[in-house]
Structure formats: C-alpha cells, structure tokens
Amino acid sequence: MEHLGSSSIVRGRGKNKRIWTYFEDEELIKALFEIALDPSWKSEGGFKNGYCQVLENVLAKKLPSSGLTAVPHIESRVRHFRTKFGAIEVMLTKSGFSWDDNRKMIQCEKQQYDDHCRVSHQTNYGVENLFIDS
C-alpha cells in the first residue's frame, strides 16, 4: 500500500465503500419510480437490461457533482434496497402486519414480530420445520 501525504488508498472487497447521502437516495428512489412507470423499461419481476445506465444519466442531471456511476454505485445501492425493503414486503403480506403511514413503520403485536423473526431466521438456515407443533 502506498502512502500519499496523510491519506492512503485502500482497495479490495469492503474497503472501497461509497457513503450515500439522503438526497442521493431520494433522487435514486424517484428515478426508479419514474422508470417503473415507463413500460419500455419494465420486465417480468423487474427492469430490462440497461436500466442502471438510464438511472446514471438521470442522476447525473439531478446531482451533477455526485459522480455516481451505474457500476458499481447504482447497481449496488439498488441491490441494497431490494434486500432491506424485501423484508418489509414479506412482513406486509402476512396477516396482522400493517403499514402506519403517519409513523412510516410497520405495525404489529410484539409477539407476532418475535414469531416472524424466529421463523424467518430458521427458514434462512434451512430449519423451517423445527418448531412445528404435532
């Protein structure tokens, strides 16, 4: 590793992270929403190839000094959103979970949430049938 002045450049997995600002996230979500409404970019279960390049162009116009690129920045952030918001989507499909639009959060009983987390964790590790009553 080479030292240049008081800073150093460290490359490699997990070392070259970009911190997204609130405004960058907000503009990315708005751009995703816009292309989701455009039938020329919709595909079954997602977007057609090249959508990240479209997002890069939109963000370059709205946030010219951000330096966001399709790969790795936008692609990585969309994957992050899928992971985080996918868990919320799964909960909302279940009975007893609802969305509180005023507080912008999921509402449910604590026991129900605890049960969901326990089952979800076990399913992720392949032991989904561990607590089934006989």
Side-chain angles (χ1 to χ4, degrees):
M1 174 169 48
E2 221 175 273
H3 292 285
L4 303 172
S6 62
S7 65
S8 61
I9 298 172
V10 180
R11 301 251 185 234
R13 183 181 169 115
K15 309 262 193 230
N16 196 16
K17 298 281 184 186
R18 182 183 198 291
I19 306 298
W20 283 67
T21 67
Y22 171 81
F23 298 107
E24 290 170 342
D25 275 344
E26 187 175 28
E27 290 301 326
L28 176 59
I29 296 294
K30 287 178 186 175
L32 279 165
F33 183 75
E34 288 299 317
I35 68 167
L37 296 176
D38 184 353
S40 63
W41 284 105
K42 290 182 84 172
S43 180
E44 289 185 27
F47 297 112
K48 291 182 180 174
N49 289 339
Y51 79 97
C52 283
Q53 190 61 48
V54 172
L55 292 173
E56 180 180 330
N57 295 337
V58 169
L59 293 176
K61 289 177 187 169
K62 298 205 179 202
L63 305 166
S65 63
S66 69
L68 292 168
T69 58
V71 177
H73 304 131
I74 295 170
E75 190 176 82
S76 173
R77 197 61 174 174
V78 169
R79 199 169 39 249
H80 167 78
F81 286 145
R82 274 193 199 124
T83 302
K84 299 301 178 192
F85 295 112
I88 293 170
E89 184 180 28
V90 167
M91 278 193 257
L92 290 174
T93 62
K94 296 184 176 186
S95 175
F97 289 89
S98 62
W99 182 255
D100 183 342
D101 207 30
N102 293 326
R103 296 171 65 194
K104 304 293 186 213
M105 60 190 288
I106 289 181
Q107 243 181 306
C108 68
E109 297 294 326
K110 179 169 179 8
Q111 184 60 45
Q112 191 173 18
Y113 176 76
D114 291 342
D115 291 344
H116 169 77
C117 290
R118 179 179 44 84
V119 170
S120 178
H121 178 75
Q122 292 162 357
T123 302
N124 289 339
Y125 291 100
V127 290
E128 62 269 13
N129 295 323
L130 188 59
F131 291 100
I132 293 179
D133 293 330
S134 348

